[in-house]
Amino acid sequence: MNFEGKTAWITGASSGIGAALAREWGHRGARVILSGRDEARLAEVADSISTETLILPFDVRDDDAMKDATDKAAAWNGVDIFVANAGVSQRSAAVDTDMQVYREIIDIDLTAQIAATQALLPHVTERGSGHLLFISSIAGKVGVPMRTAYCAAKFGLAGYADALRAELSQSDVQVHVIYPGSVATDVSRNALTSDGSKRGRSDSVIDNGIPPGEAAKWIVDAVAKGEREVIVAQGMEQAMGEARRTPEQLLDQVAAMVASGYMEKMKAEG
C-alpha cells in the first residue's frame, strides 16, 4: 500500500512508539497530525518530519479539547489513518494498589481512546475508508504480574477494536490491533506505582527492547499488508502473543455475521 498523500493522526505522538510512527509515516510520504499534552515535544517531533505536519495538543481525558481537535483534524485534508496510542503503564501488585490508580489507567488507556475514536467515527464512516489502529500490548493478550490495571485496559481496548472491526467490515475501513512487547521507550519509567506516583526508573527488559523506529516500521508494514492483529515482539513475548493470537477464521466468522444482517436483526428487535 502506498501512503503517499495520506493523512495519519497519532495520539501520544511526543515520544516512544507514537513519535516513531509519526516519523515512519512521514518518511513514506504521509501528512502527519501529532497530538499529545506536551506541545514543545510535539514540535520537536514535527521538526524531524519532512512532510506536512499539524500539531493538535490536548489531554485525551479532556472531552471538549479532544472534540475540537477531531474537528480540526477532519477539516485538515481528512483523516486516513488514526492511531489510538496515548497510554500509561503500571508497576504494582494488585493487593497494594489504590483503586484510584485503576480508574486513572483505565480512563487514559481505554475510555479516552474509545472517546477519541467515537468522536472521529462519523468522519471515518462518511468517507467509507481508512485505517484505525489501537495500540494494545502483549499485556492485552496475556495477564502480566504487576500490571493488573494496565492488562484490564489493554484487554478492553482490544475487545472494543475487535467489535468495531466487525461492525465496519462491510466498508473499506480497516481496524488493526497492535500488540507490542518490550519496546525501548519510557513506558516503564512513566508507569504508575501503587499510590499513583510515577515509577521514575526503567526495566532492563524495556531498555534492551525493540528500538521504536524498528517497531514503527514493523507496524506500518503490517498495516500496508492489511493485517488485523499485529504482534510486535521478540523471544518469549512473541511466543506468548502468538499463543493467544485470534485465529483468522474466527475474525472472518464474526465479520460474516455482520454480512448476513446480524446488526439489522438486533436493531429490529429493539
Side-chain angles (χ1 to χ4, degrees):
M1 178 183 175
N2 183 5
F3 294 107
E4 189 84 28
K6 302 293 186 181
T7 300
W9 182 15
I10 301 153
T11 67
S14 62
S15 64
I17 292 175
L21 282 170
R23 295 186 181 103
E24 183 65 26
W25 259 303
H27 176 70
R28 300 195 191 202
R31 305 181 192 92
V32 182
I33 303 173
L34 303 106
S35 289
R37 291 182 296 174
D38 192 328
E39 187 169 0
R41 292 178 69 184
L42 292 173
E44 290 177 4
V45 177
D47 287 343
S48 68
I49 298 172
S50 59
T51 53
E52 191 176 2
T53 60
L54 174 66
I55 296 173
L56 294 176
F58 68 96
D59 188 320
V60 292
R61 291 169 292 181
D62 186 334
D63 287 346
D64 290 337
M66 178 265 294
K67 179 62 170 62
D68 181 61
T70 300
D71 292 340
K72 290 176 180 177
W76 193 71
N77 301 304
V79 177
D80 301 293
I81 303 151
F82 176 69
V83 185
N85 171 65
V88 61
S89 191
Q90 174 196 12
R91 296 293 186 276
S92 62
V95 69
D96 300 323
T97 304
D98 293 344
M99 192 61 213
Q100 185 55 38
V101 174
Y102 283 90
R103 293 190 175 98
E104 183 168 0
I105 290 176
I106 289 171
D107 189 18
I108 295 171
D109 291 14
L110 176 59
T111 310
Q113 306 314 308
I114 293 174
T117 307
Q118 290 292 127
L120 187 64
L121 208 51
H123 169 73
V124 172
T125 54
E126 182 179 345
R127 287 167 67 90
S129 64
H131 299 266
L132 301 174
L133 279 71
F134 297 87
I135 308 299
S136 181
S137 169
I138 291 298
K141 279 285 188 189
V142 180
V144 180
M146 305 292 284
R147 296 164 180 80
T148 48
Y150 185 66
C151 288
K154 292 301 188 179
F155 267 81
L157 187 64
Y160 168 80
D162 284 352
L164 181 63
R165 180 192 298 113
E167 291 189 10
L168 299 176
S169 60
Q170 301 308 295
S171 72
D172 288 327
V173 179
Q174 297 186 45
V175 176
H176 314 266
V177 186
I178 317 301
Y179 296 94
S182 294
V183 178
T185 69
D186 287 333
V187 63
S188 183
R189 188 171 287 107
N190 294 329
L192 301 187
T193 60
S194 60
D195 63 359
S197 59
K198 283 189 178 182
R199 186 172 190 240
R201 59 186 175 85
S202 192
D203 301 323
S204 60
V205 68
I206 294 293
D207 293 339
N208 295 310
I210 300 169
E214 183 180 325
K217 186 178 185 302
W218 191 332
I219 292 166
V220 177
D221 284 346
V223 171
K225 296 174 185 175
E227 294 182 18
R228 293 176 285 194
E229 286 194 353
V230 185
I231 295 172
V232 184
Q234 297 174 330
M236 182 181 70
E237 291 179 335
Q238 183 179 33
M240 291 166 66
E242 292 293 344
R244 297 296 295 272
R245 181 184 285 278
T246 308
E248 289 291 320
Q249 60 266 32
L250 181 56
L251 297 176
D252 290 339
Q253 181 180 347
V254 179
M257 291 171 56
V258 176
S260 68
Y262 174 83
M263 292 174 65
E264 288 75 14
K265 293 173 186 175
M266 291 290 290
K267 290 177 182 177
E269 292 176 4

